[in-house]
Amino acid sequence: MSDASAPPGHPGTGRAWWHLSRTGLFFGAAYFLTSMAPSLLPRTWYYQGLISGLCAAVGYGLGVLVAWVVRRVSRLIDLNVTVSGEARHWLLVAAPVFGAVAVLGLTVANVRAQARTAAVVRLAPLDPVDWALALALAALIAVLFLAIARGLRGATHQLAQAAGHVLPKTIATVIAVLVVALATAWVTDSVLFHRGMQAFAGVAAQVNTAPTGRAAPTSPLRSGGPGSLESWDSLGYQGQMFVTSAPTPAQITAATDRGAIEPIRVYAGRTPDRSVDDVADAVVAELKRTNAFQRRVLAVFTTTGTGWVDDWSAQSVEYLSNGDSAIAAMQYSYLPSAMSMMTDRDTPREAGKALFDKVYAVWRTLPADHRPQLVVGGESLGSYGGQAAFADADDMVARAQGGVWVGTPSFTGIWQSLTARRNEGSPEIVPVVDAGLHIRFAASGDQLTHDYYGRDYGTWDFPRFVYAQHASDPVVWWNPALLGAEPDWLREPRGHDVNPDVTWIPFVTFWQLTTDMAVGHDPPDGYGHRYGPELVPAWGSVLGGSPTDDYTKVVAGIEKTVNRVA
């Protein structure tokens, strides 16, 4: 071990700068191995390398800290443990051999476990080349963090020595630690994080203005089309994709065998000169312009961070209402949902509440027998933001006439309260609330009629709400609480799409799910964060159909036209 009072490589340590703590290596290896344990989705080689390098660096630092504490305590209580020469020899020989065998065995076990995860969600596992690249990247990241840590330690030591010429040693050391810590925090927050976010936001803004390759709508029933109050360019990339992705009356008729009309889609983009309230007002103005309040169904969708609306949800509403529908959505950000979830949770809530409240204010002024069915929806960050329009579940049932929330993040207030008061014995992955009277959670389309254990629900009264969520969806289960607490969904029965080998590991599981979110759309529909055909029966039930209706032709029709650009 290096001397505790000075950094390795500095005078007084007696060690070269490349010296490594044995205790640190032990902890680093342990954390490295646990980082390779399986999670909800198979990781790409670069995400695996990122997690492994980060965990190895943290583990090494923890090991160094433990060794320092043990040394200090030993000196305070005058504890002196000696080992005979022969025993020491065998320890020096056996420990590396045992460690190498353990590392090799656990590595093989984790690689096989990750392959099982890939098979469960119908993806290909990493090949040997991928694993080699992951290990190389992990080593690079770990070395980088170690170099930074030692540089900071060296700076602290030099500052303490300089201050020690005019101050007592203890005070000089404390001042040096505080100065370096504050400087590091400032650089990390103000320089690395904020400038990094600014650069990322700049890229996202460029993506938002990128050409879609689609022409502006020719229908006045679309924002950006003839007579629209919103220009085509102002809609942004996702807005343009949204308003041009609606099915035609002929496509709807072919799938439903009933006469259809052209559905309405309105949208407003978040331009620099408009606040969230301004954008919501613009959407309501578009609804009025298109006579959307005269349609049979009026859907208010809260978008994801980039302004995206899942077309499986949108087209389900349009097909099942025979086009007699209007869908309203708005953009409030350019950032992808995963980034917004970690950096800005206020704006989605502000947008979800502003849009629904303004639409609801107009809707409630209409005669009761001439109001459209007002339904709500959103996926991922859109679900989180959309539910912010309501004080609680009772308020949601009272003011909306149905809705489908898809892949709802677990830190969403209403989701948390519903899950917390679930019926005893129902698992967190598909909780049963009030015997499914108004609200039902479903991991697949066939779970609208029965719970996790196959027990039939009772009566499903209107208004109806569906929470569609997969057990393998990292967006649903990601939560900072994972850093230090095991969640119910890992203690209770697992979903069919979750590898039984997945276990909670302090610190590690959080980062595993963080990177899982980045690959959430990689699996096929029905796994991870990919929701598709299952949303048709969900919306069918919400709009008035039976959960057991056959939607085969509707699903086939949507599959031909759905836009999956997220």
Side-chain angles (χ1 to χ4, degrees):
M1 300 291 177
S2 60
D3 184 78
S5 63
H10 282 266
T13 63
R15 298 286 187 178
W17 63 268
W18 59 81
H19 171 73
L20 296 174
S21 162
R22 293 194 185 100
T23 308
L25 287 174
F26 174 80
F27 276 80
Y31 269 65
F32 170 78
L33 290 172
T34 55
S35 73
M36 297 173 65
S39 54
L40 296 182
L41 298 175
R43 295 180 285 276
T44 59
W45 68 266
Y46 41 89
Y47 284 131
Q48 180 62 65
L50 175 64
I51 292 177
S52 294
L54 177 63
C55 288
V58 170
Y60 181 85
L62 179 61
V64 171
L65 177 62
V66 168
W68 180 84
V69 171
V70 169
R71 284 197 304 270
R72 289 294 184 181
V73 171
S74 298
R75 291 173 185 173
L76 288 175
I77 64 175
D78 196 23
L79 178 64
N80 187 19
V81 179
T82 60
V83 181
S84 66
E86 185 176 354
R88 179 180 176 84
H89 171 75
W90 281 109
L91 282 174
L92 291 175
V93 173
V97 174
F98 175 79
V101 172
V103 168
L104 180 61
L106 289 172
T107 300
V108 171
N110 283 332
V111 168
R112 289 177 175 175
Q114 285 211 40
R116 286 191 290 272
T117 292
V120 166
V121 297
R122 301 184 180 183
L123 289 175
L126 296 180
D127 59 33
V129 174
D130 291 328
W131 278 109
L133 291 172
L135 294 176
L137 179 59
L140 180 63
I141 291 174
V143 169
L144 176 63
F145 272 92
L146 179 61
I148 292 173
R150 288 194 167 177
L152 294 174
R153 186 179 178 182
T156 304
H157 177 72
Q158 291 179 358
L159 183 59
Q161 280 188 328
H165 293 301
V166 294
L167 295 172
K169 181 178 179 181
T170 301
I171 296 177
T173 301
V174 170
I175 291 176
V177 170
L178 289 175
V179 169
V180 172
L182 290 173
T184 302
W186 179 83
V187 170
T188 302
D189 182 64
S190 300
V191 179
L192 298 181
F193 180 75
H194 281 91
R195 290 191 180 180
M197 286 301 301
Q198 288 174 356
F200 193 87
V203 173
Q206 290 179 354
V207 172
N208 182 63
T209 57
T212 59
R214 299 189 178 191
T218 57
S219 168
L221 300 181
R222 305 280 191 277
S223 292
S228 175
L229 304 174
E230 299 297 302
S231 69
W232 173 244
D233 291 338
S234 72
L235 299 182
Y237 185 91
Q238 295 296 350
Q240 292 179 7
M241 296 296 291
F242 171 69
V243 298
T244 56
S245 297
T248 65
Q251 290 171 326
I252 296 174
T253 298
T256 62
D257 298 323
R258 297 190 298 270
I261 62 175
E262 185 179 4
I264 296 171
R265 288 193 180 190
V266 301
Y267 192 96
R270 178 75 186 274
T271 54
D273 60 327
R274 294 204 290 196
S275 67
V276 167
D277 270 349
D278 293 336
V279 181
D281 285 333
V283 173
V284 173
E286 283 288 278
L287 288 174
K288 292 177 179 179
R289 179 188 67 82
T290 56
N291 295 318
F293 289 97
Q294 297 177 17
R295 292 298 174 105
R296 182 169 75 83
V297 177
L298 173 56
V300 178
F301 280 8
T302 305
T303 65
T304 63
T306 59
W308 176 73
V309 175
D310 184 1
D311 230 23
W312 270 106
S313 269
Q315 292 204 32
S316 292
V317 171
E318 292 162 337
Y319 272 83
L320 295 171
S321 64
N322 297 310
D324 194 5
S325 64
I327 301 178
M330 61 176 274
Q331 183 184 38
Y332 55 84
S333 171
Y334 307 138
L335 296 177
S337 289
M339 184 65 66
S340 295
M341 283 173 64
M342 293 182 282
T343 59
D344 179 15
R345 297 187 191 176
D346 293 331
T347 306
R349 291 174 56 84
E350 181 186 353
K353 179 173 175 55
L355 182 56
F356 180 82
D357 284 352
K358 291 177 184 295
V359 172
Y360 182 76
V362 177
W363 176 86
R364 68 182 301 185
T365 64
L366 303 175
D369 56 348
H370 286 83
R371 293 172 178 168
Q373 182 180 4
L374 180 60
V375 296
V376 290
E379 178 173 330
S380 185
L381 200 65
S383 178
Y384 166 77
Q387 291 177 64
F390 310 102
D392 51 33
D394 291 338
D395 183 42
M396 183 172 70
V397 172
R399 294 203 295 149
Q401 296 183 301
V404 177
W405 301 116
V406 184
T408 305
S410 61
F411 50 76
T412 305
I414 294 179
W415 186 97
Q416 286 183 332
S417 64
L418 290 171
T419 303
R421 64 183 178 90
R422 65 188 183 272
N423 291 9
E424 185 176 355
S426 66
E428 187 176 26
I429 54 173
V430 275
V432 177
V433 181
D434 299 330
L437 182 63
H438 286 290
I439 301 171
R440 296 187 178 181
F441 288 76
S444 58
D446 60 1
Q447 286 188 338
L448 297 171
T449 58
H450 59 270
D451 66 11
Y452 175 84
Y453 298 103
R455 296 173 296 207
D456 290 337
Y457 284 119
T459 303
W460 197 359
D461 287 348
F462 289 96
R464 295 172 175 176
F465 295 86
V466 175
Y467 281 80
Q469 57 187 43
H470 298 151
S472 59
D473 185 354
V475 173
V476 174
W477 310 115
W478 181 90
N479 197 306
L482 286 168
L483 285 166
E486 182 179 11
D488 287 348
W489 57 272
L490 281 177
R491 286 194 294 259
E492 297 170 343
R494 310 291 177 82
H496 73 281
D497 51 340
V498 175
N499 183 351
D501 296 333
V502 176
T503 56
W504 175 72
I505 306 169
F507 181 80
V508 175
T509 300
F510 170 79
W511 289 109
Q512 287 178 330
L513 261 67
T514 299
T515 56
D516 282 351
M517 286 197 297
V519 295
H521 283 279
D522 286 0
D525 287 334
Y527 300 90
H529 198 54
R530 282 286 289 258
Y531 298 85
E534 67 208 89
L535 299 183
V536 177
W539 275 111
S541 301
V542 166
L543 296 179
S546 168
T548 58
D549 287 348
D550 184 8
Y551 296 103
T552 304
K553 291 188 67 176
V554 173
V555 169
I558 295 177
E559 283 181 332
K560 296 177 182 178
T561 58
V562 70
N563 165 37
R564 293 313 300 263
V565 179

